[in-house]
Amino acid sequence: MALSKDETIWLENYKLLMDLIGYESKNYWDRYNVFLALNSGLLAALVLLGSRSPIMKLPLVGISFFGMIQGIAWFLVVARASAYLRHWIKTAREIEENKLQQLTIFKKEEEFRSRLNGYEKAPIMKTALVIPVLASALWFILTLWVLIFMN
């Protein structure tokens, strides 16, 4: 059965959205991994400088403070990317439901998700937002610790 002109346009929009969702998903995790690697490097630098004698307080405070700032930036970048990704998924889902009912990718995904158990249902995008918040809190505590306890 041939598609109408409107259905063809909706199908092309749907294809573009699916490509965009894949692209945004990849970029989301690429950005996430960059921030994770940056945190690891900062933590290694903090440990390395903190174990030297004499202890240089200013670089330790700088690293800790920068870690806290980049943790906040990490959260904001990931939250924004997550919002865009949710928007594109919602839009593609609406096309499936309202314009091209013969497409069932998201419907089947919902059916699959309903069969998951316990921890398998964890919302990965929301869970991923917790890590930058915890990293920021850790860097804040480390900044205070360096300021108060390091001589």
Side-chain angles (χ1 to χ4, degrees):
M1 181 166 132
L3 295 174
S4 71
K5 184 177 178 182
D6 283 348
E7 287 174 326
T8 302
I9 292 170
W10 282 113
L11 183 58
E12 288 304 313
N13 282 337
Y14 185 82
K15 288 177 184 178
L16 289 171
L17 277 169
M18 296 305 281
D19 287 344
L20 187 57
I21 289 167
Y23 175 78
E24 286 292 331
S25 294
K26 182 188 178 313
N27 282 344
Y28 177 93
W29 291 109
D30 286 348
R31 288 183 207 110
Y32 197 91
N33 289 333
V34 165
F35 278 107
L36 188 60
L38 180 58
N39 262 279
S40 300
L42 289 172
L43 192 56
L46 187 73
V47 169
L48 182 67
L49 286 175
S51 65
R52 291 196 171 169
S53 185
I55 293 175
M56 298 176 288
K57 192 172 183 175
L58 187 60
L60 293 176
V61 170
I63 290 170
S64 298
F65 185 74
F66 180 71
M68 185 175 54
I69 297 302
Q70 72 79 37
I72 294 166
W74 184 10
F75 173 80
L76 295 173
V77 166
V78 170
R80 176 85 177 235
S82 180
Y84 273 107
L85 198 49
R86 282 192 318 273
H87 170 71
W88 299 132
I89 290 169
K90 180 178 181 253
T91 303
R93 184 175 277 138
E94 287 171 355
I95 290 173
E96 270 188 21
E97 292 171 357
N98 301 320
K99 302 297 180 186
L100 299 168
Q101 288 85 12
Q102 62 270 40
L103 297 176
T104 59
I105 292 170
F106 288 103
K107 185 175 183 178
K108 288 185 181 197
E109 187 265 339
E110 287 173 9
E111 291 170 5
F112 169 75
R113 206 172 344 146
S114 71
R115 293 189 303 267
L116 296 176
N117 299 313
Y119 69 89
E120 295 173 333
K121 292 184 180 184
I124 192 68
M125 298 299 262
K126 290 179 182 175
T127 305
L129 285 172
V130 172
I131 304 300
V133 171
L134 292 175
S136 295
L138 173 68
W139 284 112
F140 177 74
I141 291 166
L142 287 172
T143 301
L144 291 177
W145 183 75
V146 168
L147 287 171
I148 295 169
F149 296 109
M150 304 225 47
N151 295 326

